[in-house]
Amino acid sequence: MSDVVENTKEQQLLELKDAASKRLAYRNEQDTKRKALKHARFEEMREATPESGAEVELPRKRFYRQRAHSNPFSDHKLDYPKTPEDMNWKKLYPGFYDEKTGKMTQNVEIADIGCGFGGLMVDLAPHFPESNILGMEIRVQVTQYVEDRITALRRKHAEDACNFQNIAVLRGNAMKFLPNFFQKAQLKKMFFCFPDPHFKQRKHKARIITNTLLSEYAYVLREGGIVYTITDVFDLHQWMAKHLEEHPLFERLDKAWEEQDECVKIMYNATEEGQKVDRNQGSKFIACFRRIPNPEL
Amino acid sequence: MKHPFQLILSDKSGEHLFTSAKHHIQVFSTATGAIVGSWVDTVDIMEPLKKQQLKKIRALEAQHARDIKEAEAAAAAEPDAKKQKIEVKPIRIPKIPTPGPGAPPVYNFIRVLHLTADEKYLVGTTDSDKAIIMFELDFSQDNCLRLVKRQCLAKRPCAIASSEDSSQMIVGDKFGDVYNIGVTTPAVEDLKTFPQPILGHVSMLSDVVYAKHDGKEYVLTADRDEHVRVSHFPKSYVIKKWLFGHKEFVTNMLIPSWAPERLVTSGGDDFICSWDWTAETNNLLDTFSVRDLVLPFLSDYHIAPERFWTEEEAADRSLLEREITIQKILAVEKYKLLVVLAENTNALFVLNLADDGKITYNQTLTTDSQIITFSVDANARMYVGLDNKDGHLLDVYQFQSASDVEKLASTTMDQIAANSVVEVEKADDIYPLYHAAALRKRSEFS
């Protein structure tokens, strides 16, 4: 009897290992593909896929799953530019690099902080063709998924009006290194969708919205720029709204504004987390804020 | 055996030397070597843990009382049940965690001493209760130190600056937050009601500097990442800019009094940065490599801990690099010089800071023992704290001109060392004296 039990246990263990190695194998394969494709220029890519790209396969999320939490205080091995001027945006948005001038033809103006699996960016892309949109995500595998997803979308829609050249993702710690990426007043919109709630009181500094971090967001946002927040955790919603309301450089936008704003609509429906909340019939709480001018100093 | 001074700080006139060793602050007269002020931190190092325990016990007691009430109510609701017992588990008093064998030793010492611009207050930090301690200075008293405020913080304070009028202390903590603490306002007991930080980094703060330019006030902050940030003050939620240039942690920032728009920064890099921190763009004026200067003074102490070695390095130790940590930079105001100390070396490097921000080499001073810290007064006299087991804890130098430095006979300095009351039985009991190198990040997480 006990033999049987042990056998099944062993088998389960083997199966687990097998699944893990399958996931790893899949990611490795994608890795090779990504390396070959990621930095290819837009035109070259079109040549590489003369068909409309019907055979282009989107990456499968289940191979990239990763624990939902990451410690923002630990010193990860991160790649980030020494200054915003040193940032090589050409790598991320090859379609908007002008070979002649050596400059980008349009810049990142929208940031999705903690973009997760990238659903929001994908939905925002057709609405903001004149702005580059950047997703920042701290989890390695999730970032890789979004990268693969964007690469696939770019290939699949190479001939379409929205070819997803204006969205990109990078792995980074926005709480520590946001000013390394963006210049003062570079952004017009920042999204904080379903951030890690960090329930414990002693972990509150790990939250993405704190009064001290808001000053950094205010620095990279231009006057009139918007901060969007959405969460399914009511406590966190209250916390974020409270801190934004208390911050002297932000003012709350009212319900009427929220109802007429397209991004709110997209944010409400787009993200993977948001859809999960819908499936579980949870509530979603939204708060949006406008960056107001600096006071007299 | 005398414990070496971990911090020394002279006033502008050079009449007094403020020192710390372990949890003692002692103030000496540089004319006689006599102690003119002293203070000892008497708070038990276990204090925060005891407070925590008390809080837990109170919470448990409250819960216990509620449980009993509930059980009684339940019993009252069902009087028919025969074997109705009121069963509530008694409280288990939570233990105060004690370090097990092999745990790193706990030290209790003063980490920062700061003198306000008007020299009215001396401000320091404590380890025991993670407090800021503020002393009013009055040299007409037997003890020139009068503690006027002791403010505990949630996290250990590690950098102090003060506003121009000395009414506000700007204190950075290990968690990256900066608080504005008034001198005359009463201390806040309940930390929950403590005011919000005025600014914050998501990294340990290593230095905070208050500055004024064009009639506007600023606070500069440096952290264990490589960030140097300039914020307005007191509206510090308005960030002016970041100064990008360092690759490693930044340990100190210096704004020379003769050039208030200049800033010199250093830390874990093998170079020193010179900035125009007030400019809108092109802030970095010069980087000066100290590598060739410092390397001859480094020892195996400056090699990374073994657990960070790569396989190749472990196999061939000659591959291991000695790492440079600039511990302190001070200015010799009178001759517009900079003096640089690399941690755990016996050399001080004198550099010139030109008006255009360019840094050039002047000369090297060497001592017989390793240097722990140093201080410079307005008369270009420099006090050097030594890591010495024979009681010779201080050297004193006089800058005669921009190129001429003279080592003075140090009988009063030896007198000061002899008067210090902080004794240890053996060399092993001396506290760790070098802390900056530990700030180097060695990314263990992917």
Side-chain angles (χ1 to χ4, degrees):
Chain A
M1 185 66 192
S2 69
D3 255 14
V4 179
V5 174
E6 234 156 67
N7 267 342
T8 47
K9 249 190 195 166
E10 226 163 71
Q11 212 159 1
Q12 276 174 351
L13 214 65
L14 273 178
E15 273 168 21
L16 269 179
K17 265 191 194 158
D18 196 36
S21 65
K22 256 188 209 157
R23 284 200 294 270
L24 187 67
Y26 181 88
R27 290 204 305 271
N28 284 342
E29 194 189 319
Q30 293 292 100
D31 217 31
T32 338
K33 278 193 208 161
R34 188 185 314 131
K35 279 189 186 129
L37 271 176
K38 197 172 128 194
H39 309 315
R41 290 250 317 139
F42 176 43
E43 282 83 2
E44 291 161 19
M45 237 191 279
R46 191 147 45 180
E47 276 162 33
T49 52
E51 311 300 323
S52 66
E55 79 286 349
V56 175
E57 227 181 283
L58 285 170
R60 308 230 297 273
K61 212 194 295 176
R62 62 190 173 103
F63 292 108
Y64 300 84
R65 294 222 181 270
Q66 196 178 355
R67 191 173 171 270
H69 313 279
S70 181
N71 181 357
F73 302 130
S74 60
D75 304 320
H76 299 275
K77 276 193 192 107
L78 292 172
D79 209 11
Y80 55 90
K82 220 173 87 181
T83 77
E85 290 80 29
D86 292 336
M87 180 62 198
N88 184 0
W89 293 112
K90 171 189 165 187
K91 264 179 151 180
L92 293 176
Y93 304 97
F96 294 103
Y97 178 73
D98 188 337
E99 208 76 64
K100 279 183 212 122
T101 60
K103 285 184 180 148
M104 299 300 292
T105 53
Q106 67 183 42
N107 292 320
V108 176
E109 293 182 310
I110 299 171
D112 182 4
I113 309 299
C115 67
F117 291 94
L120 179 72
M121 282 197 290
V122 172
D123 282 12
L124 285 176
H127 291 89
F128 297 95
E130 78 296 343
S131 300
N132 285 347
I133 305 170
L134 181 73
M136 287 180 102
E137 173 58 48
I138 198 167
R139 291 168 291 166
V140 184
Q141 286 166 34
V142 177
T143 316
Q144 285 169 355
Y145 168 80
V146 182
E147 247 176 64
D148 293 345
R149 183 177 182 182
I150 292 172
T151 311
L153 282 170
R154 284 181 183 176
R155 294 181 69 195
K156 197 168 173 180
H157 298 276
E159 303 289 342
D160 299 344
C162 175
N163 54 20
F164 296 98
Q165 287 292 328
N166 64 332
I167 62 172
V169 68
L170 59 82
R171 197 230 167 174
N173 183 340
M175 291 171 69
K176 271 177 176 278
F177 300 113
L178 201 65
N180 288 64
F181 289 98
F182 302 121
Q183 271 151 348
K184 195 177 200 161
Q186 182 176 340
L187 300 180
K188 62 179 183 188
K189 288 174 194 295
M190 285 180 91
F191 290 87
F192 298 91
C193 301
F194 304 96
D196 192 335
H198 291 287
F199 288 108
K200 285 183 190 164
Q201 169 149 24
R202 47 177 301 160
K203 295 256 173 164
H204 282 180
K205 193 177 164 168
R207 287 181 167 173
I208 194 83
I209 301 281
T210 61
N211 75 328
T212 54
L213 274 174
L214 281 172
S215 304
E216 298 198 4
Y217 304 153
Y219 174 87
V220 296
L221 268 177
R222 63 188 67 157
E223 279 176 23
I226 309 286
V227 164
Y228 294 83
T229 72
I230 184 168
T231 174
D232 56 328
V233 180
F234 185 63
D235 275 354
L236 179 65
H237 165 67
Q238 280 188 314
W239 160 283
M240 293 196 291
K242 173 178 172 276
H243 282 80
L244 275 151
E245 272 160 16
E246 282 172 1
H247 199 281
L249 299 180
F250 290 99
E251 69 177 8
R252 178 90 184 245
L253 293 158
D254 57 16
K255 272 265 158 324
W257 184 92
E258 283 173 19
E259 270 156 27
Q260 57 80 42
D261 187 73
E262 203 162 11
C263 293
V264 172
K265 236 174 275 163
I266 298 170
M267 173 172 77
Y268 195 82
N269 299 312
T271 70
E272 283 76 5
E273 276 303 315
Q275 287 158 6
K276 198 162 95 189
V277 175
D278 279 341
R279 284 198 299 278
N280 300 335
Q281 293 168 349
S283 320
K284 289 185 259 190
F285 308 99
I286 287 174
C288 302
F289 292 80
R290 181 184 286 126
R291 163 75 155 93
I292 55 177
N294 288 342
E296 187 87 20
L297 292 161
Chain B
M1 183 176 186
K2 299 290 179 186
H3 194 291
F5 297 120
Q6 289 171 284
L7 297 169
I8 61 174
L9 184 62
S10 78
D11 50 10
K12 284 190 200 106
S13 66
E15 283 171 49
H16 303 102
L17 212 53
F18 303 88
T19 69
S20 84
K22 291 166 89 169
H23 52 294
H24 293 250
I25 297 176
Q26 298 178 93
V27 188
F28 298 95
S29 155
T30 53
T32 64
I35 295 185
V36 294
S38 74
W39 180 84
V40 188
D41 183 15
T42 49
V43 174
D44 182 4
I45 188 88
M46 301 299 276
E47 193 65 22
L49 287 174
K50 279 184 185 159
K51 266 191 197 161
Q52 225 175 53
Q53 186 200 31
L54 201 68
K55 224 163 130 189
K56 276 186 196 161
I57 292 175
R58 290 223 177 105
L60 284 172
E61 278 173 351
Q63 184 62 42
H64 187 70
R66 276 198 298 275
D67 286 352
I68 289 180
K69 257 190 194 161
E70 264 171 40
E72 280 173 352
E78 290 178 63
D80 310 337
K82 278 179 186 171
K83 286 176 186 171
Q84 192 59 259
K85 265 195 232 161
I86 300 174
E87 255 186 275
V88 177
K89 280 183 192 161
I91 306 179
R92 283 171 58 193
I93 301 287
K95 278 184 197 153
I96 290 183
T98 45
V106 181
Y107 299 106
N108 179 19
F109 63 98
I110 314 282
R111 284 166 198 262
V112 191
L113 280 180
H114 169 81
L115 204 52
T116 59
D118 57 9
E119 303 197 335
K120 237 173 110 181
Y121 299 101
L122 178 75
V123 190
T125 65
T126 68
D127 272 5
S128 55
D129 56 351
K130 302 177 196 164
I132 285 290
I133 39 176
M134 304 181 193
F135 301 94
E136 198 168 20
L137 297 175
D138 181 356
F139 291 102
S140 67
Q141 302 291 318
D142 283 348
N143 185 352
C144 69
L145 297 177
R146 188 172 73 87
L147 186 68
V148 289
K149 185 167 176 178
R150 182 175 189 141
Q151 174 65 61
C152 298
L153 295 173
K155 301 283 168 188
R156 182 179 283 164
C158 56
I160 308 173
S162 50
S163 64
E164 194 182 30
D165 61 0
S166 305
S167 66
Q168 305 287 322
M169 297 302 145
I170 307 163
V171 179
D173 72 18
K174 262 196 112 152
F175 215 30
D177 287 332
V178 177
Y179 295 90
N180 197 355
I181 302 173
V183 177
T184 49
T185 50
V188 178
E189 287 286 334
D190 183 4
L191 288 184
K192 271 189 189 140
T193 63
F194 200 70
Q196 293 272 306
I198 61 163
L199 70 95
H201 291 216
V202 182
S203 179
M204 179 179 167
L205 282 172
S206 49
D207 203 4
V208 178
V209 168
Y210 167 91
K212 208 168 173 182
H213 175 71
D214 239 1
K216 287 179 185 170
E217 297 176 285
Y218 298 91
V219 55
L220 282 70
T221 40
D223 69 22
R224 196 189 167 185
D225 297 332
E226 55 289 330
H227 288 137
V228 177
R229 175 175 145 182
V230 184
S231 317
H232 289 269
F233 184 82
K235 290 174 181 158
S236 47
Y237 49 82
V238 182
I239 298 169
K240 186 176 161 71
K241 59 165 48 248
W242 273 267
L243 300 177
F244 295 108
H246 282 287
K247 294 179 180 141
E248 288 287 343
F249 61 95
V250 182
T251 48
N252 47 119
M253 298 184 285
L254 168 77
I255 295 180
S257 54
W258 68 90
E261 68 287 351
R262 295 279 173 274
L263 172 73
V264 180
T265 57
S266 64
D269 285 311
D270 56 7
F271 55 84
I272 295 167
C273 290
S274 156
W275 312 85
D276 180 353
W277 65 271
T278 63
E280 286 308 316
T281 52
N282 300 327
N283 300 86
L284 186 58
L285 301 175
D286 194 16
T287 55
F288 177 81
S289 171
V290 290
R291 201 177 166 75
D292 295 340
L293 288 178
V294 177
L295 276 182
F297 295 95
L298 299 187
S299 65
D300 283 354
Y301 169 90
H302 298 90
I303 291 172
E306 199 171 336
R307 63 181 188 279
F308 299 113
W309 296 358
T310 61
E311 267 174 45
E312 294 86 56
E313 282 170 342
D316 179 5
R317 292 191 56 168
S318 68
L319 292 174
L320 288 164
E321 252 193 72
R322 292 172 175 176
E323 295 167 337
I324 294 170
T325 300
I326 304 298
Q327 195 230 318
K328 207 177 181 79
I329 294 189
L330 290 180
V332 183
E333 213 176 293
K334 202 168 170 184
Y335 300 113
K336 300 188 182 180
L337 299 172
L338 302 174
V339 184
V340 177
L341 170 64
E343 191 168 65
N344 200 354
T345 64
N346 65 332
L348 290 166
F349 307 103
V350 184
L351 309 175
N352 310 304
L353 178 64
D355 290 339
D356 63 357
K358 290 272 183 276
I359 297 173
T360 47
Y361 175 70
N362 184 310
Q363 62 177 300
T364 304
L365 307 172
T366 54
T367 54
D368 295 334
S369 317
Q370 304 297 89
I371 299 167
I372 303 162
T373 181
F374 68 108
S375 183
V376 185
D377 70 17
N379 303 317
R381 191 170 283 202
M382 180 164 73
Y383 308 88
V384 182
L386 301 171
D387 181 359
N388 185 299
K389 316 271 185 292
D390 312 321
H392 180 65
L393 302 182
L394 292 165
D395 266 349
V396 58
Y397 291 83
Q398 176 70 53
F399 285 83
Q400 304 290 8
S401 70
S403 56
D404 185 16
V405 191
E406 188 191 341
K407 186 175 167 183
L408 303 182
S410 56
T411 39
T412 39
M413 292 298 128
D414 284 340
Q415 192 57 49
I416 287 176
N419 285 344
S420 169
V421 299
V422 188
E423 304 250 3
V424 286
E425 271 176 27
K426 50 187 191 300
D428 285 351
D429 295 339
I430 292 175
Y431 271 26
L433 301 169
Y434 310 102
H435 307 280
L439 293 175
R440 194 174 299 272
K441 292 194 289 183
R442 305 185 192 275
S443 303
E444 287 176 275
F445 302 92
S446 63

